[in-house]
Amino acid sequence: MSRIGLIGAMDEEIALLLQGMDDKEEVKRAGISFVQGLLHGKNVVVCKSGVGKVNAAMTTQVLIDYFRVEMIWFTGVAGAVNPTLDIGDIVISSSCQQHDMDVTPLGYERGIIPYQEISDFPANEDLIQLAEEACDKLCTDHNFIVGKVLSGDQFVADRVLVSELYETMAGACVEMEGSAVAQVCYMNEIPYVVLRSMSDKADGTADVNFAEFTEKAASRSFEIVNDMLQRIV
C-alpha cells in the first residue's frame, strides 16, 4: 500500500484530516509533529509544515527520508492571482514556481533558479486528474482550475504585484510553500500535487477576508483530499 504524505501549513488545514484518522501515532522530527495512521484505509502521514518555503522544504524531505512516503499532497489556502478566480474557488497545481526567486540583474527571467535545469516544477498528471475528478464532483457552488501555483516568502496584498504575477509568470494563485514542496519532490522523484482554496484575492483586502474565509476554504480543500483518498488505488 502506498504511503501518502499530507501537508498543510496551518492547524486549520490539517485539523479535519487528523479527526478522520485511525490508528494514529505521533512522531516528532526536526520540531515538526508527524501523525501516521489510516484514513479511508490508506496509509498516510499528516503534518503541519509551518509557514514559508524553508519550513515546507524541510518537512517534505523528512516525509521522504524518514517516513518513506511515495507521494505528497499539499492542501490549504491561497490568494487568487488569476482574475477569473473568486474566494472559495480551487486551484489544482499544474506546476509550482518561486515568484521571489529574482536574479534578473544577471539576465535571468524572474522565477528562474540559476544553474539549474528546471525552475517550474510540474505536478504529477495522475494526481492532477484525481483532483479534477474530485472537484467535478464536489465543486457545486464554486469553480476550479488547473494552473500554476506561485510561492514566495511574503504575504502578497498588492494589486500591482498580483497583476504582474499573472501577466509575467502566468500564475493562478500565490502562497508561501508549494514551490518548495514541488522542488524537493522533483529532486527526489516523488509525485506531488498542491490543492489550494482561495481565501482572498491577494489584493489588499486580505486583512478582512483571510481570517473570515480561511476556515471555510480549508474545509473545501479537505473535502477534495478526502474524496481523492477514497478513490486512489
Side-chain angles (χ1 to χ4, degrees):
M1 182 192 302
S2 296
R3 173 172 280 191
I4 304 170
L6 303 175
I7 310 176
M10 298 182 295
D11 289 325
E12 295 91 338
E13 296 171 342
I14 65 168
L16 293 173
L17 292 170
L18 293 174
Q19 288 175 20
M21 288 177 66
D22 297 315
D23 301 329
K24 289 187 285 189
E25 178 188 359
E26 183 177 359
V27 177
K28 288 200 172 182
R29 285 289 182 276
I32 303 293
S33 175
F34 297 85
V35 181
Q36 314 178 77
L38 297 175
L39 191 54
H40 298 299
K42 306 302 192 303
N43 193 355
V44 301
V45 183
V46 176
C47 58
K48 180 182 75 171
S49 65
V51 175
K53 292 185 297 180
V54 173
N55 282 326
M58 177 183 67
T59 301
T60 302
Q61 195 66 57
V62 171
L63 281 170
I64 294 168
D65 286 345
Y66 182 83
F67 294 97
R68 303 296 180 187
V69 299
E70 296 168 73
M71 64 185 74
I72 290 179
W73 307 355
F74 195 111
T75 179
V77 299
V81 170
N82 186 316
T84 67
L85 291 168
D86 207 343
I87 292 169
D89 288 347
I90 302 293
V91 172
I92 303 165
S93 63
S94 57
S95 65
C96 294
Q97 188 171 12
Q98 299 178 64
H99 69 79
D100 62 349
M101 175 60 68
D102 189 351
V103 198
T104 52
L106 298 182
Y108 295 90
E109 293 183 6
R110 182 175 185 169
I112 299 299
I113 305 170
Y115 318 120
Q116 187 158 304
E117 181 181 2
I118 184 172
S119 301
D120 186 7
F121 302 97
N124 178 265
E125 292 184 3
D126 291 337
L127 294 179
I128 292 172
Q129 182 177 346
L130 193 67
E132 285 186 277
E133 291 169 357
C135 287
D136 278 332
K137 173 183 175 182
L138 297 169
C139 294
T140 56
D141 60 346
H142 49 284
N143 299 315
F144 73 92
I145 65 170
V146 177
K148 184 192 293 188
V149 174
L150 298 178
S151 309
D153 285 324
Q154 62 186 112
F155 193 98
V156 175
D158 181 286
R159 288 180 176 87
V160 174
L161 179 55
V162 167
S163 178
E164 181 180 328
L165 294 177
Y166 177 66
E167 293 173 3
T168 65
M169 298 190 71
C173 66
V174 63
E175 37 87 299
M176 300 176 71
E177 296 84 25
S179 66
V181 173
Q183 182 172 344
V184 173
C185 285
Y186 175 82
M187 296 174 75
N188 287 273
E189 300 183 339
I190 297 291
Y192 87 92
V193 71
V194 172
L195 307 167
R196 291 291 191 175
S197 182
M198 302 303 101
S199 60
D200 61 88
K201 301 193 77 171
D203 60 359
T205 60
D207 58 333
V208 176
N209 290 337
F210 189 76
E212 181 179 354
F213 288 100
T214 290
E215 186 173 348
K216 185 175 182 179
S219 178
R220 284 175 168 164
S221 295
F222 161 76
E223 290 172 0
I224 296 167
V225 170
N226 200 45
D227 184 80
M228 292 170 66
L229 283 170
Q230 292 179 66
R231 290 184 296 106
I232 194 169
V233 177

